[in-house]
Amino acid sequence: MSFINWSDIYSVGDPTLDGHHQKLFDIVNQLHDELLGHHREEAVANTIKALLDYSHYHFAEEERVMKAVGFPEYEGHKAVHEMIIRKLQDYEHNKAAGDRESTGELYTFLLSDWLWKHILEMDKKMAPYILGHSHKPGN
C-alpha cells in the first residue's frame, strides 16, 4: 500500500505538471518503503538523491510554466521552491552523516509543507492561469 496516493485534488490543470507531481509521489512512496523496510543506507541515499534531482527538474519546469502564463505570485512561489530544495539537501546531508532522527521530520515536511501547503495551496493557485492560458488562441 502506498504511503501517499495521487488523486485529482492535486491537479493543477496541466498534464505535464500533474505527471511530475505523480512521479514525486512515486519517489516519496519508494523512500517510505525503503525507510520502513530497513533497506541499505545506499538505497535510501539513492532515493533521496532521486527525489532531490527530480525536484530540481520539476521546479524548473513549473517556474517556466508560471512565467509563460503570467502567474503573478511567481517570485514568492520560486522562493518556496528554493526553500524545499534546501530542506531536501539538509535531509540528504543529515542522512549521509548517519542522522536517523530526522526521518520523522522528513515525513512531516513532505506531507505538511510540500503536499498540503505547496501543492494543494500554492500550486493550485496556478490552475486558473494555466487553464486560462491553454484556451487562448495560438496556445
Side-chain angles (χ1 to χ4, degrees):
M1 187 168 124
S2 296
F3 176 57
I4 53 171
N5 294 302
W6 170 263
S7 82
D8 287 341
I9 66 166
Y10 296 104
S11 177
V12 296
D14 180 274
T16 300
L17 295 180
D18 287 345
H20 288 187
H21 288 152
Q22 290 172 34
K23 173 73 172 173
L24 288 165
F25 276 47
D26 290 344
I27 297 169
V28 168
N29 282 324
Q30 179 181 345
L31 179 60
H32 174 73
D33 290 347
E34 289 171 356
L35 289 168
L36 277 186
H38 305 290
H39 285 78
R40 290 185 11 235
E41 291 298 319
E42 182 181 346
V44 172
N46 288 340
T47 303
I48 293 169
K49 178 153 179 30
L51 180 60
L52 188 55
D53 290 347
Y54 199 81
S55 297
H56 276 288
Y57 166 73
H58 165 66
F59 290 156
E61 180 63 14
E62 196 171 272
E63 290 164 13
R64 186 196 64 74
V65 169
M66 284 190 287
K67 281 184 175 179
V69 301
F71 185 58
E73 296 177 33
Y74 170 80
E75 290 298 329
H77 200 118
K78 184 174 190 266
V80 171
H81 287 170
E82 292 166 358
M83 180 271 304
I84 290 171
I85 292 295
R86 280 193 307 275
K87 283 193 175 218
L88 288 173
Q89 288 170 331
D90 288 347
Y91 182 75
E92 180 183 43
H93 174 75
N94 292 344
K95 192 73 175 156
D99 179 1
R100 297 186 189 283
E101 300 299 317
S102 60
T103 300
E105 293 172 18
L106 176 67
Y107 286 139
T108 300
F109 165 70
L110 291 173
L111 292 176
S112 177
D113 292 349
W114 198 341
L115 297 182
W116 290 108
K117 290 180 184 162
H118 190 74
I119 294 176
L120 286 176
E121 292 177 12
M122 294 189 80
D123 285 355
K124 292 291 270 188
K125 288 181 182 179
M126 291 186 305
Y129 294 89
I130 291 170
L131 293 172
H133 185 73
S134 64
H135 292 101
K136 290 181 182 175
N139 292 326

